[in-house]
Amino acid sequence: MMRSSSLLLLLMLCALSGRSLATVCRASDRNALLAFKAQLNDADGVLKDWDASTNCCVWTGVFCDRTHSRVGSLFVNANCRNCIGNGKLIVDPKVNGASFAASLSNLTALTQLSFNNVQIRFRFSIPPAIYTLTNLVSLSLTDCQFSGPSIPADVGKLVKLTELTLDGNRFPGGLPDSIGNLKNLNILHLENNQMTSIGSTRITLLKKLDQLVLNYNKLSGPIPKWLGGITLTGVQYGELNLHDNQFTGYIPGELCNIKPKLLILGLNKNKLNGPIPAAIGNCAQLRTLFVGDNKLSGSLPHELGKLKNFQELFAANNQLAGPLPKELGDLPNFNQMDIGHNKITGPIPSNYGPFSPDIPDPVDFTNNKLTGPIPLAMQNLPVKVFRPGNPGLCGTPVPNKCK
């Protein structure tokens, strides 16, 4: 009985700790982390439990390999809910690019590294020590304010990477040619980097890529047609996202050459003009299309009806005109549509609806010039999805009765 009680107590202690009691970090790993911490101004106490007298495997953001007692993952997140202030980690002004994080090169078992809001304040680029961590499969340096003409070519040394996130830095020249070395890369996020160029076309060599996100940059001119040569596997995302840039001109039909699965295409909040191309019907796997907040004109193409997996269309705040394509109503999974603030005319096709019951307002037809009866399957929607605008609509839920 005593043996079973002791075993139960041990199991409870293990559960409460949340970490393996047997995992005690190596002194060399602990010292490397403390040397890194010494380079930071941590007035808000983000890393207050990083103390030399304690086991580094239970420190905030530190996770150890239970077999070898090595630090395997490091997540330094300065957006800290439990900190004294808002959570800030500012790199000491005396620290330069060559020395910053140099001690982390001793963490040779590291497979995941994430800095979030560790503020460099645009003083230097990603430090050389990061590129010595050749076992990394995930590298995220978000809102750190690293800067340089382009993303350093040394990133190509991290050939095991499956995820690379560099949001919130400043690399106007974009990607180096060495990006083509990252054959295992699935996810590439480069939001908010003040990029004026995507950089190297060698991202077309990445055959395992599943998500390419280039939002909130300063990319301008026509959308490059060569982007139609990238691979998106569609295993999880199948996403190309270019929203909140300054692209102009037509939407290139070549984007529908992306294989094998372009599921999400984000082009909203640019300066694109002309029609949504009929070639959109060649994006056979497309589920979601974001083209709102541009200067698009013409009618919604009937070819959208070819997309048997199509679910969501967001095209508000353009200059789209003409009738709504009946073909959209025949799509079995089509459940969300935002076309507000356009110049669309004619009736809502009778085969439209029902739309997703899980979304409060699954459609927005406001500020158009639609006329005629509201389809029966849409009469359960609130009036605010039809008005203001569309004075010629009639039937429930708008007050106008159909004659």
Side-chain angles (χ1 to χ4, degrees), residues 18-177:
R19 310 276 181 97
S20 171
L21 295 179
T23 306
V24 178
C25 74
R26 289 190 185 184
S28 58
D29 285 7
R30 181 187 67 235
N31 292 338
L33 292 170
L34 290 172
F36 169 67
K37 179 185 177 182
Q39 295 182 316
L40 306 172
N41 294 329
D42 185 14
D44 289 340
V46 176
L47 305 178
K48 61 185 177 183
D49 65 346
W50 286 30
D51 186 277
S53 65
T54 60
N55 175 14
C56 76
C57 290
V58 298
W59 290 353
T60 297
V62 180
F63 297 86
C64 293
D65 181 301
R66 295 181 178 183
T67 303
H68 303 102
S69 298
R70 298 298 308 278
V71 175
S73 301
L74 177 58
F75 303 97
V76 182
N77 181 8
N79 292 328
C80 176
R81 294 181 180 178
N82 299 318
C83 298
I84 298 169
N86 295 323
K88 283 185 180 179
L89 285 172
I90 301 171
V91 177
D92 191 303
K94 298 177 183 177
V95 175
N96 60 35
S99 62
F100 177 59
S103 64
L104 297 187
S105 62
N106 294 314
L107 303 181
T108 54
L110 206 62
T111 60
Q112 298 181 85
L113 176 61
S114 175
F115 292 168
N116 186 355
N117 202 26
V118 179
Q119 296 180 19
I120 311 301
R121 298 190 170 177
F122 304 114
R123 293 194 292 115
F124 49 79
S125 191
I126 300 170
I130 301 296
Y131 307 118
T132 67
L133 301 171
T134 53
N135 285 315
L136 285 178
V137 296
S138 176
L139 175 61
S140 177
L141 306 175
T142 302
D143 295 327
C144 292
Q145 303 170 346
F146 289 113
S147 64
S150 300
I151 295 167
D154 282 344
V155 74
K157 296 177 180 178
L158 303 177
V159 296
K160 294 183 180 180
L161 283 181
T162 61
E163 180 176 351
L164 177 60
T165 299
L166 299 177
D167 300 342
N169 295 288
R170 186 191 291 165
F171 295 112
L175 292 163
D177 282 342

Side-chain angles (χ1 to χ4, degrees), residues 143-209:
D143 295 327
C144 292
Q145 303 170 346
F146 289 113
S147 64
S150 300
I151 295 167
D154 282 344
V155 74
K157 296 177 180 178
L158 303 177
V159 296
K160 294 183 180 180
L161 283 181
T162 61
E163 180 176 351
L164 177 60
T165 299
L166 299 177
D167 300 342
N169 295 288
R170 186 191 291 165
F171 295 112
L175 292 163
D177 282 342
S178 62
I179 195 69
N181 298 342
L182 307 185
K183 305 296 185 184
N184 295 302
L185 202 63
N186 305 144
I187 296 172
L188 180 57
H189 276 228
L190 302 173
E191 284 190 11
N192 191 21
N193 272 281
Q194 301 186 35
M195 290 167 57
T196 56
S197 170
I198 296 173
S200 178
T201 62
R202 291 175 65 85
I203 51 174
T204 57
L205 302 178
L206 307 180
K207 300 306 179 184
K208 295 183 179 181
L209 195 64

Side-chain angles (χ1 to χ4, degrees), residues 217-221 242 244-248 269-271:
N217 280 294
K218 296 182 178 180
L219 300 171
S220 61
L242 305 175
D244 284 89
N245 278 285
Q246 300 170 21
F247 284 117
T248 56
K269 296 189 177 181
N270 280 282
K271 299 177 182 179

